[in-house]
Amino acid sequence: MNSQQLFDLSGRVAIVTGAAKGIGMGIAQNLASAGCSVAIADLDSTEAEKVANEILSKGDQAIAVSTDVSDETSVENLCSQTMSSFGHIDILVNNAAVYPMSPISEMTMDLWDHVLNVNLRGAFLMIRQLAPEIVKAGSKGRIINISSINTGKSYVGMPHYDSSKGGLEALTRSCALEYAEHGVTANVIAPGAVKTPGSMTVRGNLAKERGDPTTAEVDAEFASRIPLGDWATPDMIGQATTLLATPAASYITGQTIYVDGGLKLTI
Ligand SMILES: NC(=O)c1ccc[n+]([C@@H]2O[C@H](COP(=O)([O-])OP(=O)(O)OC[C@H]3O[C@@H](n4cnc5c(N)ncnc54)[C@H](O)[C@@H]3O)[C@@H](O)[C@H]2O)c1
């Protein structure tokens, strides 16, 4: 394979969950520009349509599919809509997640179940539904799960989230073993700190606690702890995810790749 072929995803079909905004959008845009046809799967169908239209306007291929990853029927529908639009599926990126904060002492079971249902059950439902299609496509496809630097550390207020991401990493290893015989790899991308609509809520709450009118101080303080000096953009996480999807990464499986500007080295 020449170097161009090693990084070419032309003709591949990818599904990205939670791709209407934030990191998922960055992943979908990067996969599309590397040649993939992409299904933008998100609860927020209005924003998902906008992302799909923007990709189409650049001459790449995309569809938006209204999806709740925690719902079995919705996941089945996502699979059949992607198959009828593109004919096969090669790459699955489980990115959709929620992260409302609550300490253990105040956790309701509804909140615990919601976070585990979206972040872990959702990824499992997606893998169970889509892995057989990825195997059938015969292209030695990819399963890429978006976890977090949180699995290597913790914060008060994130026990449900941290548990879901720890579970996701264990699920990824199991998946890597089960599908290895088909040449399908499964890996984790673990971002550090990324400016997104979801993290804006958390950053906004932290700023409010300090009495700051904006998140500027919280953001700068956090950036100063990152060895590479700044927060990641969703695009950077998209680039790393796309790299794992290319033929160049065909022998990497069962791994967690930290895309965190070196932050994990400091904890
Ligand atoms: N932002 C960060 O700093 C950061 C750091 C580490 C890991 N992550 C991980 O990156 C991923 C994306 O995070 P983000 O910050 O971009 O989040 P975000 O909140 O900005 O976007 C998440 C997207 O997921 C969608 N979504 C939520 N529930 C869904 C469901 N049930 N079904 C389908 N779609 C659903 C939302 O509509 C939204 O479009 C998550 O897995 C998160 O845990 C983020």
Side-chain angles (χ1 to χ4, degrees):
M1 237 180 237
N2 64 36
S3 59
Q4 205 177 345
Q5 291 166 326
L6 276 176
F7 297 100
D8 184 20
L9 290 174
S10 303
R12 300 286 161 101
V13 177
I15 293 180
V16 185
T17 68
K21 47 185 102 80
I23 290 173
M25 180 171 77
I27 294 170
Q29 289 167 334
N30 272 278
L31 286 171
S33 70
C36 287
S37 302
V38 187
I40 311 294
D42 204 292
L43 265 186
D44 186 340
S45 43
T46 310
E47 291 303 311
E49 286 288 352
K50 284 189 201 161
V51 175
N53 285 335
E54 196 219 304
I55 290 174
L56 288 168
S57 73
K58 291 186 173 152
D60 298 319
Q61 294 304 309
I63 54 166
V65 186
S66 173
T67 308
D68 177 353
V69 295
S70 66
D71 180 84
E72 219 172 327
T73 310
S74 183
V75 167
E76 283 165 15
N77 174 58
L78 168 62
C79 181
S80 58
Q81 280 207 45
T82 309
M83 287 298 283
S84 67
S85 296
F86 299 132
H88 60 104
I89 298 163
D90 309 282
I91 298 160
L92 165 62
V93 183
N94 285 308
N95 164 80
V98 288
Y99 44 98
M101 292 180 77
S102 170
I104 294 170
S105 54
E106 291 167 21
M107 182 78 65
T108 64
M109 287 322 294
D110 279 350
L111 187 62
W112 174 271
D113 288 344
H114 175 55
V115 171
L116 271 288
N117 279 342
V118 176
N119 300 7
L120 184 55
R121 181 180 199 265
F124 174 74
L125 286 175
M126 291 290 298
I127 291 166
R128 193 183 62 166
Q129 180 71 39
L130 291 154
E133 298 299 344
I134 294 174
V135 168
K136 225 185 290 165
S139 59
K140 301 191 173 174
R142 302 281 189 268
I143 295 167
I144 302 171
N145 296 325
I146 308 302
S147 172
S148 168
I149 195 171
N150 271 35
T151 54
K153 61 177 291 173
S154 202
Y155 297 98
V156 171
M158 303 298 265
H160 42 1
Y161 179 77
D162 295 352
S163 303
S164 71
K165 294 299 189 183
L168 184 63
E169 293 196 7
L171 174 63
T172 307
R173 291 190 288 273
S174 187
C175 194
L177 271 183
E178 184 165 339
Y179 295 103
E181 66 175 300
H182 305 285
V184 174
T185 68
N187 291 289
V188 166
I189 292 277
V194 193
K195 286 187 180 165
T196 65
S199 71
M200 186 60 205
T201 309
V202 176
R203 288 150 58 213
N205 289 339
L206 290 174
K208 217 182 285 169
E209 273 170 29
R210 295 164 41 124
D212 292 343
T214 69
T215 64
E217 300 242 333
V218 171
D219 291 353
E221 209 174 275
F222 209 88
S224 72
R225 287 195 259 147
I226 302 171
L228 283 181
D230 207 352
W231 291 64
T233 60
D235 195 43
M236 289 170 178
I237 311 301
Q239 290 161 8
T241 307
T242 300
L243 191 63
L244 264 188
T246 64
S250 63
Y251 203 60
I252 301 172
T253 198
Q255 303 303 309
T256 295
I257 317 285
Y258 288 88
V259 185
D260 65 352
L263 186 57
K264 184 159 185 292
L265 302 174
T266 70
I267 58 178

